[in-house]
Structure formats: C-alpha cells, structure tokens
Amino acid sequence: MREKLFSHQTQTTCWDHPKMTELFQTLADLNNVRFSAYRTAIKIRRLQKALCLDLLELNTTNEVFKQHKLNQNDQLLSVPDVINCLTTTYDGLEQMHKDLVNVPLCVDMCLNWLLNVYDTGRTGKIRVQSLKIGLMSLSKGLLEEKYRYLFKEVAGPTEMCDQRQLGLLLHDAIQIPRQLGEVAAFGGSNIEPSVRSCFQQNNNKPEISVKEFIDWMRLEPQSMVWLPVLHRVAAAETAKHQAKCNICKECPIVGFRYRSLKHFNYDVCQSCFFSGRTAKGHKLHYPMVEYCIPTTSGEDVRDFTKVLKNKFRSKKYFAKHPRLGYLPVQTVLEGDNLET
C-alpha cells in the first residue's frame, strides 16, 4: 500500500511508501543541528540505515551492476529493471543479515528513494549512472575506495575524466542532499563552480586522473563535503571517549568529541556542539578539534601544544583567521558559505 501525495510545488502526483513518509517526518527532528554538513550527513545516515545500505559492501554493489549488465551509463532503466537490480541486491544482503533485512520492504523503500532523488519528473525511468552513484554513495566501504569507484563510473576508457564527466558525477551526487532540502549549503544545484575548482587545482589540464580527483576530494570541496562527513558520522556512532562534556556533563562522551584548542580540559559532546551551546568563557569562534574515534597519546600532546600557542592569541586573531573545515567553492547567487 502506498500513499498518494500531491506536490503543490511541482503540481505532480507522486507515491510514497507509508514507512518512507514516517522516516521523512523523523528527519525533521534533526533540523536543530546548526551545521549544514552534519545535519545533512546525519539525515543521510538515518536514511542509509533505514534502507539497510549501511550493510551493503561497495564491491557487492559493483558485482550486482555487472550481473545485471549495467554498462551503458546513459541507458534509461524502467521501474521493473530497477526492482530486478534491487531484488538481487537485497536477496544477497538477506542471506548475510537474515534478521535485519526485510527484502520486499527494502526494495520498496529503496525504489521510492531512488525515484524521489533521480526521477523528480515521475517519468518512471532512471539513468543507469544515477542508480549506480546513488547506491554507491550510500554503500558501506572505505571513503577513498568509494571515491575511486565513483570516479571509475564516469571515467573514459583511458581511466581519465574530463570536465563534462566530472560534472555528471557531481550532478548525480548532489541530488542526494537536494532531495533532503539541503542543497543550498553545498553551493546549490549548479555544479560548474565545483568542476572548475577541481580542474584549477590541477592546472586546468583537459583531463584528470583518479589520484588527482581523490586529492581534490580530500580537501572536502563544498559541494561534496557531506560525503566524508557521512563517513565520520558512521565512525563516531560507537565511539566512547574518556572525557566529560563541560556543558551537559555527559561522561564518557559518546559519538563525536569536540576538544577546545583555546582552553585546557574543555570538551563538548556532539549534542551540545551541534546545538551551538557553549560554557561560560568559551566563544563559538574559538578553534575546536573533532574526534570521531578515541584520541591517541600523540594527538593529546599535539592538542596540548596548540592550546599553549592559542593561549597567547587575541580575540582579533581568531576573528581574522576562521578555520574552514572544507574547500569553499565560489558560487553565483545560490547558497552561502557553510558554517565553520
């Protein structure tokens, strides 16, 4: 059973699974997270788990694409084609995670999500490349391995990528936060500035290699910063830090831990940090370092040294030297810079 929804914005009728409607209602609770990249990544993480894609290994995803002979990226897939591909995927997952995967529900939910992201005109067709980029972005795997797979999908036979091909990749990827209503913070839906940024980084050569693409992605460009943050959100879920939050007093801190680089022994849990709460004497613009896994002794010493240096720096210094955790991309009209 599906609910029929009428969208007043697009004047079209679309179908949403009741469980999908329920999921999107719960995502609204996350709107109090002040930082766009984290708000978006936490929403995507919740979606990823609801679709059981956090159980799907990248190489398995790739094998399913090969099995269904999805080689022509421009090819349009009908809804039955997408269902076939998703059924193979979830049947395989069910064999490995019997208690966690309900195949019919997962197929329905994932199809619903893919259509919402890549078939906004409700034509009943999705491009092969969009299906691949959507599923790969939410699959489980190492971040740089994911970058490698994504690049390989759009690269030519020489394993090099030109501006048009990179544009296709970024366009399909940015649809994921766009569908959650979060696109403005990532430079809007215009990906040209991001393509330009990547090629300028590489001396405006006509084509880039996978290594050059990964080097650019390591800088966390504004349009794609939600993807590495998604991986950090996943890594932080089970982390326990031997530290106490200076604001709500949670101890140990579970999830992300934020340590001040201005004050000694000043730690904040993710809940307080995301809602912008601070303790007396610690300003929001003071530098903090984020940990998604417990710190090593080397990191403790490094942070101690930074706090010592920062002790002697004035308020003016911090106002003049804000630290961006991503590579800003110059955009026209659409979207402001992300919060730091």
Side-chain angles (χ1 to χ4, degrees):
M1 175 202 155
R2 297 205 175 154
E3 288 179 13
K4 196 175 188 185
L5 298 179
F6 184 75
S7 164
H8 292 282
Q9 281 177 325
T10 55
Q11 300 294 304
T12 55
T13 306
C14 59
W15 298 86
D16 266 326
H17 193 286
K19 287 277 183 201
M20 188 58 99
T21 308
E22 208 176 287
L23 173 66
F24 279 110
Q25 283 163 353
T26 70
L27 296 185
D29 304 343
L30 299 169
N31 287 336
N32 64 344
V33 174
R34 289 177 71 248
F35 305 101
S36 345
Y38 287 88
R39 186 174 62 244
T40 305
I42 296 167
K43 285 181 180 183
I44 295 172
R45 178 65 177 162
R46 208 174 268 188
L47 177 72
Q48 183 189 35
K49 289 167 93 169
L51 302 179
C52 294
L53 294 176
D54 60 319
L55 306 172
L56 181 64
E57 297 284 353
L58 259 176
N59 55 352
T60 309
T61 317
N62 207 35
E63 286 308 314
V64 172
F65 298 150
K66 283 181 186 166
Q67 194 181 328
H68 285 263
K69 298 186 170 60
L70 301 180
N71 312 319
Q72 296 296 319
N73 277 352
D74 297 340
Q75 184 194 339
L76 287 171
L77 296 173
S78 64
V79 168
D81 294 332
V82 177
I83 290 173
N84 280 342
C85 184
L86 292 178
T87 304
T88 305
T89 305
Y90 285 113
D91 279 346
L93 273 187
E94 190 201 26
Q95 286 169 20
M96 295 163 70
H97 307 276
K98 223 167 188 60
D99 300 337
L100 300 174
V101 180
N102 170 343
V103 176
L105 177 64
C106 284
V107 169
D108 254 7
M109 291 271 284
C110 196
L111 172 68
N112 193 161
W113 172 68
L114 286 164
L115 291 172
N116 284 351
V117 176
Y118 295 115
D119 182 27
T120 48
R122 281 294 184 262
T123 60
K125 305 267 184 200
I126 291 182
R127 282 172 66 245
V128 164
Q129 183 180 293
S130 302
L131 171 77
K132 287 177 172 179
I133 286 172
L135 291 181
M136 279 181 174
S137 297
L138 266 62
S139 291
K140 175 185 176 184
L142 297 171
L143 184 59
E144 294 202 355
E145 187 190 0
K146 190 173 280 189
Y147 293 159
R148 207 172 288 279
Y149 270 106
L150 290 171
F151 181 89
K152 209 170 154 189
E153 276 315 318
V154 294
T158 57
E159 295 190 356
M160 298 291 278
C161 183
D162 62 20
Q163 292 199 18
R164 189 190 69 85
Q165 289 161 324
L166 179 64
L168 289 170
L169 165 57
L170 297 182
H171 176 269
D172 275 346
I174 201 73
Q175 300 314 309
I176 298 171
R178 183 201 57 75
Q179 191 262 332
L180 295 169
E182 293 284 0
V183 77
F186 304 105
S189 50
N190 176 15
I191 45 77
E192 278 178 38
S194 297
V195 174
R196 213 165 35 244
S197 157
C198 179
F199 278 82
Q200 278 168 355
Q201 185 83 17
N202 291 292
N203 305 318
N204 289 319
K205 293 191 300 191
E207 292 184 315
I208 56 164
S209 67
V210 66
K211 184 192 177 300
E212 289 162 333
F213 171 69
I214 290 173
D215 286 345
W216 178 67
M217 286 294 280
R218 278 186 190 139
L219 300 172
E220 302 197 357
Q222 188 173 349
S223 52
M224 291 296 286
V225 66
W226 55 271
L227 187 53
V229 175
L230 170 65
H231 279 247
R232 291 205 286 277
V233 165
E237 278 176 348
T238 53
K240 276 189 183 177
H241 307 269
Q242 293 313 305
K244 178 175 166 182
C245 175
N246 282 52
I247 298 164
C248 71
K249 312 302 178 197
E250 177 189 44
C251 185
I253 289 176
V254 177
F256 285 110
R257 169 194 181 183
Y258 293 89
R259 175 192 265 175
S260 173
L261 293 180
K262 173 72 175 163
H263 291 164
F264 292 113
N265 295 327
Y266 183 92
D267 291 283
V268 182
C269 71
Q270 67 178 42
S271 175
C272 293
F273 184 78
F274 290 159
S275 57
R277 294 171 69 198
T278 57
K280 198 179 171 192
H282 198 278
K283 302 285 189 290
L284 272 175
H285 63 263
Y286 284 166
M288 306 280 283
V289 63
E290 172 189 278
Y291 288 104
C292 53
I293 53 173
T295 56
T296 62
S297 56
E299 286 165 333
D300 291 339
V301 171
R302 185 196 65 195
D303 292 348
F304 180 83
T305 313
K306 284 184 180 173
V307 175
L308 270 181
K309 276 186 190 168
N310 288 331
K311 278 279 175 202
F312 300 101
R313 285 174 171 160
S314 64
K315 284 180 186 176
K316 275 185 183 173
Y317 175 87
F318 293 115
K320 272 187 181 173
H321 300 83
R323 289 169 72 238
L324 289 180
Y326 64 97
L327 174 69
V329 170
Q330 199 56 49
T331 56
V332 183
L333 297 175
E334 280 195 283
D336 301 316
N337 275 356
L338 288 167
E339 306 88 343
T340 51

